[in-house]
Amino acid sequence: MIRIFTDEIINAVCLHMADRRGVQPSDVEVQLAWEEEYGFTAEVWVSGRSQYIIEANLLEAIEQYMYRQYNRRVFRSNIKLDVDEEEMWADIEE
């Protein structure tokens, strides 16, 4: 099992959104969140515009990140997000 933490999840979302929007990853800002009602989400700012993404989008970003950064093919069904008072992480089964 691989565990990635908040910083890498944010990097994954930045890379994913940069690809989708045709901008540099440094042009993307991400704020991760977990709420009882909505689950895992993120607010993403690209070129001054705000957008909310849901857990499925986070899992897609992590899936692509794992392939690009670690050369590992993982599936969303093998990624479990979790959070405590201080940090968010993703456990990835291989």
Side-chain angles (χ1 to χ4, degrees):
M1 179 185 72
I2 297 173
R3 177 174 281 181
I4 63 172
F5 290 95
T6 303
D7 290 344
E8 276 195 284
I9 296 171
I10 289 171
N11 288 344
V13 175
C14 286
L15 290 168
H16 181 67
M17 295 304 290
D19 280 352
R20 294 185 71 160
R21 303 284 186 204
V23 299
Q24 294 298 313
S26 58
D27 296 332
V28 180
E29 292 182 46
V30 177
Q31 178 68 48
L32 299 174
W34 184 87
E35 298 174 18
E36 188 80 37
E37 186 175 346
Y38 301 110
F40 293 96
T41 62
E43 186 172 7
V44 180
W45 293 268
V46 180
S47 304
R49 293 186 151 181
S50 172
Q51 170 186 355
Y52 283 92
I53 62 173
I54 62 172
E55 185 172 343
N57 302 114
L58 293 172
L59 296 177
E60 179 182 9
I62 292 167
E63 183 181 279
Q64 291 178 3
Y65 178 82
M66 292 303 295
Y67 184 70
R68 287 182 170 166
Q69 301 299 102
Y70 293 99
N71 199 30
R72 294 177 187 251
R73 174 94 43 207
V74 299
F75 298 97
R76 285 172 221 173
S77 59
N78 293 38
I79 303 169
K80 302 291 182 246
L81 295 171
D82 207 349
V83 66
D84 64 17
E85 294 83 27
E86 298 176 15
E87 182 129 43
M88 185 181 294
W89 64 88
D91 285 334
I92 301 147
E93 297 291 331
E94 297 190 72

